[in-house]
Amino acid sequence: MDVRESISNQTDVALSLTKHVALTEAKDSNLVFSPSSIHVLLSLISAGSKGPTLDQLLSFLKSKSDDQLNTFASELVAVVFADGSPSGGPRLSVANGVWIDKSLSLKNTFKQVVDNVYKAASNQVDFQTKVKTLSWYTTVIHEGLKFT
């Protein structure tokens, strides 16, 4: 699948989500949400899924494989989140992350996708006690993510 087809599919998914949210959650109120962020999140989840869950995600996201979603996400991250401020353009910061209980671990192949494709943070935390995430998000918001 080429980039144009991926963009077209993402647009279809975004419009479907927007229609659903507008007719239900935002029917009598104002609501702001990001269909692109939801698409990226579901694509990331699909990268760690298999079986019927993966099949349902791929169907919803109109994709043939999680590799296809990962390729599109990698291109999207590289273009959309590129720092355009030196040339007078925008600089976007996004706080994507995977949080897993410290008693578990991520498969190495999934961690590589999280780190390299989605440029997301992966953190092991103790969900049994209070998680202190505010300082991490504050740092991301004020300093931005550092991509290598």
Side-chain angles (χ1 to χ4, degrees), residues 82-146:
D83 185 359
S85 59
S87 61
R91 177 177 178 226
L92 301 175
S93 294
V94 176
N96 288 329
V98 174
W99 302 83
I100 186 167
D101 190 80
K102 70 178 185 175
S103 66
L104 304 170
S105 62
L106 296 174
K107 289 184 177 181
N108 191 45
T109 53
F110 180 67
K111 181 160 178 22
Q112 288 177 350
V113 170
V114 170
D115 294 344
N116 300 324
V117 174
Y118 291 88
K119 307 292 187 210
S122 56
N123 299 287
Q124 288 186 294
V125 295
D126 184 358
F127 284 117
Q128 303 304 315
T129 61
K130 187 175 180 180
V131 179
K132 297 181 181 180
T133 59
L134 184 58
S135 64
W136 183 82
Y137 282 107
T138 302
T139 301
V140 168
I141 290 168
H142 293 291
E143 298 176 20
L145 292 176
K146 306 294 188 245

Side-chain angles (χ1 to χ4, degrees), residues 1 13 18 21 52 57 68 82 88 97 106-107 116 123 130 132 147:
M1 181 181 302
V13 171
T18 302
V21 170
L57 286 164
Q68 200 174 63
L106 296 174
K107 289 184 177 181
N116 300 324
N123 299 287
K130 187 175 180 180
K132 297 181 181 180
F147 298 119

